[in-house]
Amino acid sequence: MAAMTELSALQSAIEAPHTEGEGEDLFVKLARLRNAAEAAGEGEVLAALDELRPKLRRQLSRPSLAAKVHMVWRLLLTLIVTIWGCMALLLFTPLRLTHPLLRPLGVPNGLLPLDVLELAWAHLVLRAAGVRVRVEGEGAGRWSGIPHGVIVYNHASNLDPFILFVACGGHRAPKFVGKKVLFAVPIFGWMSLALGQVPINRGDPKKSIATMNERVAAIMSRWSRSVAVSPEGTRTKDGHLVLPFKKGVFHLSQQMQAPILPLAIHGAFDLWPPSRLFTGVGEITVRALEAQPPLPPLPPSRWHTGLLLQLALPAAAALAVLLIGRTSGEGLGTTAPSSPSSSPRGPAEIVRD
């Protein structure tokens, strides 16, 4: 009854005229109500909330003709840099053989030879795209006392992996969990496999979890590497978090007893919504949030879907609140796309506030 009352009040607020900032606050309320309804198994409330969500879609202005021409030029340049970088990284893949020799000498993840090359490539891709990254606070340095964990981020742009890699800088160089279909792309897929990224088959959840557990166990336990994955499972289409979160992230964290390391990315959707050919020119802000403890360890015999949902739902709700809008990122700014004539400073110059 209380949920229906809150739903009715939320519906009235959403249907009334509101500003973009008020829309973000309304989505926070929608997400919290949705988390509570999911935990309580209130299907009717969930369906009503999902019908309300499209009304909170972020409204963006259309680029001018000059901006579109500039966009095509940057797209071509970015493709050239991306392909060139993939081929160069494939050529230098044997450098991974030096990593086990350098770690005992005190060279950390993030400063190993191939990690440095990957970071340079990410900088070049973002520079070609006209995107600069501003890291607020300590960035990934906030997790300096944590050897490895599961880095989670809100997925708003196809450039997110590059943004995340640049934001982490020399603190850690995570391996990424991605859709298996991406690894079938010539050159890019070969490079991803050669660098040790983790492909998963989203069409088979059980196999996906087994693959993540096996591959990630080796990455974390043997090399003390962090792994990056989006709990949304897909890119947002409306500028807000995709809910509910996939539970595999929390299962992975529980199995490895590794903390969840949230990274909030703001401004990526505004620059590159799904309806646009390529990203606009502008700035994206990134902030590392407080690490979240893993779910309590349980023997394999006790794991089943119902228990996973029971344990993961509160964690997913807490993580969603951390990543949503101004609730977790007060002061996080977003910069509107610049005009084609403006010259970005380039992501190599990362501002740390």
Side-chain angles (χ1 to χ4, degrees), residues 185-225:
V185 177
I187 303 179
F188 178 80
W190 306 336
M191 180 272 300
S192 298
L193 287 172
L195 294 182
Q197 315 300 355
V198 183
I200 58 170
N201 182 5
R202 288 173 54 187
D204 188 342
K206 290 185 178 180
K207 191 173 181 179
S208 295
I209 291 177
T211 300
M212 281 201 301
N213 289 341
E214 181 181 351
R215 295 286 299 276
V216 171
I219 292 171
M220 287 188 176
S221 59
R222 189 175 181 185
W223 308 122
S224 195
R225 288 265 191 187

Side-chain angles (χ1 to χ4, degrees), residues 16-237:
H18 55 262
T19 65
E20 182 176 323
E22 291 171 341
E24 291 180 358
D25 292 336
L26 289 172
F27 182 75
V28 172
K29 294 178 181 178
L30 183 147
R32 285 176 168 163
L33 185 56
R34 196 189 193 290
N35 284 332
E38 186 182 6
E42 297 177 329
E44 185 178 348
V45 175
L46 287 174
L49 289 171
D50 289 341
E51 288 181 7
L52 279 178
R53 177 175 177 135
K55 298 179 181 180
L56 291 175
R57 181 182 178 86
R58 300 277 296 278
Q59 300 298 321
L60 303 174
S61 59
R62 293 184 177 182
S64 65
L65 178 60
K68 290 180 180 179
V69 172
H70 190 239
M71 183 183 298
V72 172
W73 159 247
R74 287 182 292 100
L75 172 59
L76 294 175
L77 181 60
T78 303
L79 287 174
I80 292 171
V81 172
T82 301
I83 295 172
W84 173 85
C86 288
M87 295 175 66
L89 286 170
L90 273 172
L91 180 64
F92 286 105
T93 297
L95 285 176
R96 287 187 69 189
L97 299 176
T98 67
H99 292 186
L101 302 176
L102 293 173
R103 284 191 179 94
L105 298 178
V107 181
N109 292 326
L111 295 180
L112 294 168
L114 211 53
D115 296 340
V116 173
L117 290 178
E118 283 187 77
L119 179 60
W121 176 52
H123 275 289
L124 289 173
V125 169
L126 292 178
R127 187 177 184 86
V131 173
R132 57 187 181 271
V133 177
R134 179 162 64 96
V135 179
E136 291 205 343
E138 302 173 82
R142 179 173 188 171
W143 310 319
S144 58
I146 301 173
H148 57 258
V150 181
I151 299 178
V152 297
Y153 59 97
N154 51 306
H155 191 9
S157 162
N158 289 333
L159 292 175
D160 287 347
F162 299 101
I163 294 167
L164 189 149
F165 211 91
V166 166
C168 287
H171 292 286
R172 60 187 71 220
K175 297 301 180 184
F176 289 85
V177 176
K179 295 182 291 186
K180 189 176 181 179
V181 65
L182 295 176
F183 291 77
V185 177
I187 303 179
F188 178 80
W190 306 336
M191 180 272 300
S192 298
L193 287 172
L195 294 182
Q197 315 300 355
V198 183
I200 58 170
N201 182 5
R202 288 173 54 187
D204 188 342
K206 290 185 178 180
K207 191 173 181 179
S208 295
I209 291 177
T211 300
M212 281 201 301
N213 289 341
E214 181 181 351
R215 295 286 299 276
V216 171
I219 292 171
M220 287 188 176
S221 59
R222 189 175 181 185
W223 308 122
S224 195
R225 288 265 191 187
S226 294
V227 173
V229 59
S230 170
E232 298 167 278
T234 189
R235 178 184 177 187
T236 179
K237 293 179 174 59

Side-chain angles (χ1 to χ4, degrees), residues 286-303:
V286 180
R287 175 184 287 176
L289 306 176
E290 183 179 354
Q292 303 296 299
L295 298 174
L298 290 171
S301 59
R302 289 195 59 195
W303 272 104

Side-chain angles (χ1 to χ4, degrees), residues 315-331:
L319 181 60
V321 170
L322 270 180
L323 288 176
I324 287 174
R326 296 180 301 178
T327 300
S328 62
E330 186 175 356

